[in-house]
Amino acid sequence: MSKDTFNGWACSAKGVPVEWSEFTPKTFDDDSVEMDVTHCGICGTDIHTMDSGWGPALYPCVTGHEITGVCTRVGKNVTNVRVGDRIGVGTQSGSCHECEDCKRGQENQCKVGFTSTYNSKWKNGEKSYGGYADKWRGDHRFVLKIPDSMSNETAATLLCAGVTTYVPLKRHNVKPGDKVGVIGVGGLGHLAIQWAKAMGATVVAISHSDNKRADALELGCDDLIVISDAKAVEAHKGTFTHFLVTHLSKEFDWNLHFSLLKPNSRFIVVDIPEYSFQNFPIQQVIFKQISIVGSLIGSPAEIQETLDFAATHNVKPWTNKYPMTEAPQAIKAMREGKARYRIVLEN
């Protein structure tokens, strides 16, 4: 029989180190699934949350929303997974299942009952807890089966970073003949490069330095542009059909980047900065008919598609693995920018 208390790395306040603590998961019901956590990725969102960067956190919080493990218990209504299956859950763990968005398979756009995997509330008012833990419990409708050919370590990162970058490229029809610029070669960007290449596009990384050129080329890039290199920028002006933007600095040069885009191109943003922007150059957007679009994770069906596409096309995150017992050290490494390119905790 499952315990009604789990253990995890809890953050009790901004600036306070995480501590291994007991917590009470949601009440097990007929729609619940429980798993023994084998792996959990560390995401930038975890850091924002621990620091209350996007708003006050619901302390104490156990973060982690790239969770994989082995199913140990299922409720009466659960038919998509069985005890013993390797399973995972990403950024979202619940929705209302009744609104227009949910009914058309866009649960990630639910405005009525969106439950984040951590730092959120379930319908019954109980708090959600993430995967820096020994176990996880939640709604089976957001639980995915891991492909047989994929390890739990690989799948973990794809449940957030993977779907965040795969879905918008697929939604905006990246295909052979397109030219995709990936802004930022990091935790998100190194996956975006692989997706776009697998979709048949020419792929160019755009960075502030040449330090990651070798990595970018190994990941599949055809080139890397250092944005301060005027000659390199000039050679690529007006040639990109898509930008996938994984990082927006406060000093982001909108005009310079827009100059690289073709008319009727897509400027896709998946970064969520803690600040707003001033002096936005709307003229270029209008005259070049640039579509600026955002993308928020993906629906359960899109997450499953992400996993299956990765398995078929051999898309794999570059990971640094830490034991779950060393989560504080792993979080420190993440804060210091040492991830190459995702950090994964392992029980």
Side-chain angles (χ1 to χ4, degrees):
M1 178 61 68
S2 169
K3 296 191 306 179
D4 280 326
T5 57
F6 296 171
N7 295 282
W9 289 101
C11 179
S12 59
K14 180 178 179 178
V16 176
V18 295
E19 294 185 348
W20 189 252
S21 310
E22 266 196 0
F23 64 91
T24 303
K26 74 179 290 293
T27 301
F28 194 93
D29 58 26
D30 290 345
D31 290 313
S32 292
V33 166
E34 195 168 297
M35 77 166 100
D36 286 342
V37 174
T38 62
H39 296 82
C40 185
I42 295 182
C43 178
T45 301
D46 304 345
I47 307 300
H48 285 294
T49 301
M50 286 187 273
D51 293 347
S52 288
W54 292 334
L58 300 175
Y59 299 115
C61 58
V62 175
T63 59
H65 59 204
E66 298 179 339
I67 312 168
T68 56
V70 177
C71 180
T72 56
R73 187 183 179 193
V74 298
K76 293 179 182 178
N77 295 338
V78 178
T79 59
N80 58 321
V81 296
R82 297 181 298 179
V83 171
D85 285 346
R86 293 187 306 120
I87 59 175
V89 66
T91 307
Q92 183 182 9
S93 291
S95 72
C96 75
H97 304 291
E98 297 171 356
C99 69
E100 289 185 7
D101 291 310
C102 285
K103 287 180 178 178
R104 61 171 173 251
Q106 295 182 349
E107 295 93 336
N108 58 307
Q109 288 297 314
C110 179
K111 303 299 186 295
V112 180
F114 188 111
T115 301
S116 297
T117 296
Y118 62 75
N119 195 48
S120 188
K121 292 289 185 74
W122 296 97
K123 284 184 180 180
N124 63 6
E126 294 174 331
K127 193 157 70 170
S128 62
Y129 294 93
Y132 295 8
D134 56 358
K135 297 176 183 294
W136 178 85
R137 182 187 292 171
D139 189 330
H140 74 98
R141 288 163 287 196
F142 290 85
V143 171
L144 294 308
K145 290 187 69 172
I146 297 170
D148 291 340
S149 63
M150 184 178 291
S151 70
N152 282 20
E153 179 184 341
T154 291
T157 290
L158 299 179
L159 293 167
C160 175
V163 68
T164 294
T165 47
Y166 169 80
V167 168
L169 294 173
K170 175 71 181 302
R171 182 184 300 135
H172 295 287
N173 195 32
V174 170
K175 60 189 183 303
D178 288 339
K179 184 175 177 181
V180 177
V182 176
I183 299 178
V185 182
L188 295 176
H190 91 289
L191 287 167
I193 290 166
Q194 294 181 71
W195 299 130
K197 197 65 180 177
M199 293 172 183
T202 298
V203 186
V204 178
I206 300 171
S207 184
H208 286 289
S209 77
D210 208 43
N211 294 342
K212 295 180 180 178
R213 179 177 293 275
D215 285 356
L217 296 178
E218 185 177 345
L219 287 161
C221 276
D222 297 279
D223 198 2
L224 179 145
I225 300 172
V226 177
I227 199 64
S228 60
D229 183 340
K231 186 176 179 181
V233 169
E234 185 64 32
H236 287 273
K237 272 191 175 178
T239 63
F240 287 89
T241 58
H242 301 74
F243 271 175
L244 195 288
V245 186
T246 71
H247 180 66
L248 283 170
S249 67
K250 285 185 178 180
E251 299 77 26
F252 189 81
D253 191 330
W254 296 93
N255 276 310
L256 182 60
H257 286 83
F258 285 165
S259 73
L260 292 164
L261 291 168
K262 281 185 170 183
N264 302 306
S265 54
R266 297 286 188 275
F267 186 93
I268 306 165
V269 182
V270 296
D271 183 32
I272 309 176
E274 294 183 3
Y275 39 81
S276 299
F277 294 93
Q278 305 295 323
N279 302 317
F280 184 78
I282 195 67
Q283 293 90 345
Q284 276 214 65
V285 175
I286 293 170
F287 288 126
K288 295 183 80 170
Q289 297 181 170
I290 298 168
S291 295
I292 301 176
V293 295
S295 186
L296 178 69
I297 55 171
S299 67
E302 289 171 325
I303 299 173
Q304 190 66 63
E305 182 182 335
T306 301
L307 294 174
D308 294 341
F309 186 96
T312 300
H313 295 275
N314 198 34
V315 173
K316 293 183 177 180
W318 291 10
T319 57
N320 311 125
K321 188 165 59 177
Y322 285 73
M324 184 68 74
T325 55
E326 296 180 9
Q329 296 93 313
I331 293 167
K332 182 174 183 290
M334 181 74 172
R335 289 184 180 278
E336 294 173 350
K338 294 179 178 178
R340 289 292 182 273
Y341 282 102
R342 302 294 288 192
I343 292 175
V344 178
L345 302 171
E346 180 180 65
N347 274 315

